[in-house]
Amino acid sequence: MYTFQVKNLFIASALVLGMSVASAQDGLVNSLKVNASEKSVESFKFTDVINLANTSIKNQGSSGTCWSYSTNSYLESEMIRLGKQPVELSQVFSARNAYVEKGKNYVRMHGAVSLGDGGELHDVINMYKKYGAVPQEVYSGLNYGTTKNKFAEMSGITEALLAAVVKNPNGELTPTWEKAYAAVIDSYLGDVPKTFNYKGKSYTPQSFAKEVVGINPDEYVEFASYSTEPYYKKTMMMVPDNWSFDLVYNVKMNDMTAIIDNALKNGFTVAWATDVSEKSFSWKNGVAYVPTKKFDDMTKEEKENMFNGPKEEPQITEEMRQKAFDNYQTTDDHAMHIVGIAKDQLGKEYYIVKNSWGVTNDYKGYLYVTKDFVKYKTTSFMVNKAGIPTDISSKLGV
């Protein structure tokens, strides 16, 4: 996930400077530091309505792998829901396998497709289905002395390698480039274990996925909302990081929150992809909403108090949502994990969202996001099909 912004200026700068997606991840986080108010925590009074079980907060470090962290967190909550002891799954194992598949696709597409760290929620499910899963303790991806992911150098080298392959200097591609590409990745992230021991038993990644994780990848359904496409049909997810060209179910804007609400009320958490490079998204204060005024039209006092207590929001329409998407005002920045619902002191509902940027914000790694923000800025989300409302499920045929 990760079409970086601050807004289009940051995209252009990254391209001009040859900035890696890993570095752009740092740029995105740093750009949000100014989105904060001094008295936010004391100005909000949140009360949990639903708070589903989830595992500890992680930190993706200097890597654009939010899609893997959020969706693996989601799978860990699915293990809890199924009555299993949750395992911290290796996020980098999912990412590593996606990088290999992405590289193959990049070459087949003559370089005319997204590359880098970015990905989508479905990438974790697709890699789980093909490669299996391993615990974090078996494959951390920290292979050269770092304590957190730092992928910029690896990204630069793999991008250069694939660029050389696409130029096809031999006039015909050899079978060796795929081995060379995977070897570069593995030299940074570590060799993928063919077998490993976990709690006294030997597993392969495939047998661990089947016997320990125990989810069925075919049960997960991904959604988006485009007013330009037929509703309740599958359509292409129109974002650059959909490198695998997966199709998603297209639903109406209000269906998105209806599905999320129904899933949460029935014990299912939700993997969520969205635009976070908004002045009304505060990582520090752990709050996101849609303001009634554009930031440039606000007074100095209004800007200073953006996150000091509940605020009114405009009525979000499908036309507003689609226009923001088409104008690149809504881009595919980040992925997180929706784990519950809370109310503020005025009775307004927010989603409780688990992030993967560590525990440094006001809510120790969590955020409270309004439903209007989710309607306006969501790029995609994923639920277990059993969490979809019956009427919508019938329209989709799932």
Side-chain angles (χ1 to χ4, degrees):
M1 205 84 336
Y2 184 67
T3 303
F4 32 92
Q5 250 182 349
V6 180
K7 285 263 192 209
N8 296 332
L9 177 61
F10 190 62
I11 297 174
S13 299
L15 294 174
V16 170
L17 297 175
M19 184 182 292
S20 73
V21 177
S23 298
Q25 164 67 20
D26 293 339
L28 174 65
V29 176
N30 288 333
S31 74
L32 298 173
K33 288 182 178 178
V34 296
N35 297 356
S37 299
E38 290 185 3
K39 299 179 180 179
S40 182
V41 173
E42 61 196 73
S43 301
F44 279 102
K45 303 298 179 186
F46 290 113
T47 304
D48 288 357
V49 177
I50 299 169
N51 198 335
L52 300 175
N54 56 94
T55 53
S56 63
I57 296 288
K58 310 302 190 298
N59 191 335
Q60 68 191 79
S62 296
S63 70
T65 52
C66 55
W67 52 275
S68 186
Y69 276 76
S70 59
T71 313
N72 275 293
S73 173
Y74 170 63
L75 296 184
E76 289 163 9
S77 283
E78 281 290 272
M79 291 183 70
I80 297 172
R81 183 185 63 80
L82 293 169
K84 296 176 175 290
Q85 180 67 34
V87 177
E88 182 181 351
L89 300 174
S90 172
Q91 306 90 357
V92 178
F93 180 75
S94 301
R96 180 267 176 199
N97 294 323
Y99 295 162
V100 170
E101 296 300 323
K102 186 186 299 187
K104 296 175 184 177
N105 205 44
Y106 183 84
V107 173
R108 291 191 185 106
M109 293 294 293
H110 300 211
V113 69
S114 177
L115 194 59
D117 285 359
E120 298 299 332
L121 307 172
H122 56 248
D123 289 333
V124 171
I125 301 298
N126 291 345
M127 295 307 107
Y128 179 95
K129 191 171 184 177
K130 182 169 184 176
Y131 290 95
V134 302
Q136 168 73 7
E137 65 188 61
V138 169
Y139 192 80
S140 69
L142 303 174
N143 194 41
Y144 48 95
T146 60
T147 57
K148 294 181 181 178
N149 298 333
K150 198 167 186 178
F151 288 179
E153 184 176 295
M154 179 185 73
S155 296
I157 292 175
T158 53
E159 288 171 15
L161 188 155
L162 291 177
V165 174
V166 169
K167 288 180 181 178
N168 195 6
N170 282 359
E172 181 177 347
L173 293 182
T174 72
T176 304
W177 76 263
E178 290 186 21
K179 296 179 183 178
Y181 173 62
V184 170
I185 294 172
D186 292 343
S187 69
Y188 279 93
L189 303 183
D191 293 331
V192 175
K194 294 181 179 179
T195 61
F196 57 91
N197 289 321
Y198 181 75
K199 292 187 175 181
K201 185 176 178 180
S202 179
Y203 295 95
T204 65
Q206 289 80 6
S207 67
F208 184 81
K210 182 178 180 180
E211 297 173 26
V212 179
V213 182
I215 68 154
N216 178 357
D218 295 329
E219 291 182 352
Y220 298 90
V221 182
E222 195 171 20
F223 297 92
S225 181
Y226 308 110
S227 64
T228 55
E229 303 298 322
Y231 290 121
Y232 309 115
K233 304 289 184 182
K234 280 196 169 183
T235 189
M236 178 71 71
M237 182 190 293
M238 300 299 288
V239 295
D241 280 330
N242 184 20
W243 58 270
S244 60
F245 310 119
D246 272 38
L247 302 179
V248 297
Y249 282 103
N250 189 41
V251 294
K252 293 182 178 180
M253 181 186 73
N254 289 334
D255 288 337
M256 293 194 296
T257 48
I259 294 168
I260 294 170
D261 286 349
N262 188 77
L264 293 169
K265 290 173 183 177
N266 285 280
F268 298 89
T269 63
V270 179
W272 177 49
T274 188
D275 179 355
V276 300
S277 50
E278 301 293 323
K279 293 294 186 182
S280 61
F281 179 98
S282 175
W283 162 238
K284 171 62 175 68
N285 293 148
V287 175
Y289 70 102
V290 184
T292 56
K293 283 185 180 181
K294 292 182 179 179
F295 184 78
D296 291 342
D297 295 334
M298 293 182 184
T299 65
K300 180 181 178 181
E301 183 180 11
E302 286 172 331
K303 291 176 180 178
E304 290 174 349
N305 286 285
M306 283 186 69
F307 306 102
N308 287 344
K311 299 290 187 292
E312 290 186 9
E313 295 181 285
Q315 181 179 354
I316 308 301
T317 66
E318 290 185 340
E319 290 74 20
M320 286 172 60
R321 173 185 162 77
Q322 188 65 44
K323 182 178 179 181
F325 183 83
D326 289 340
N327 288 340
Y328 305 160
Q329 294 168 332
T330 294
T331 57
D332 191 33
D333 293 336
H334 194 44
M336 293 176 282
H337 182 194
I338 300 175
V339 299
I341 296 174
K343 287 185 178 180
D344 67 17
Q345 60 266 44
L346 302 179
K348 185 174 185 173
E349 288 191 337
Y350 298 65
Y351 292 122
I352 304 171
V353 178
K354 177 185 177 185
N355 201 1
S356 56
W357 290 347
V359 296
T360 57
N361 78 336
D362 288 347
Y363 297 105
K364 305 300 182 185
Y366 293 88
L367 303 99
Y368 294 90
V369 180
T370 68
K371 292 186 178 182
D372 282 328
F373 187 95
V374 169
K375 288 179 181 180
Y376 193 26
K377 291 296 172 177
T378 294
T379 53
S380 66
F381 66 99
M382 178 184 290
V383 301
N384 188 297
K385 63 183 180 181
I388 304 170
T390 303
D391 59 333
I392 296 175
S393 182
S394 297
K395 293 176 184 177
L396 299 172
V398 297

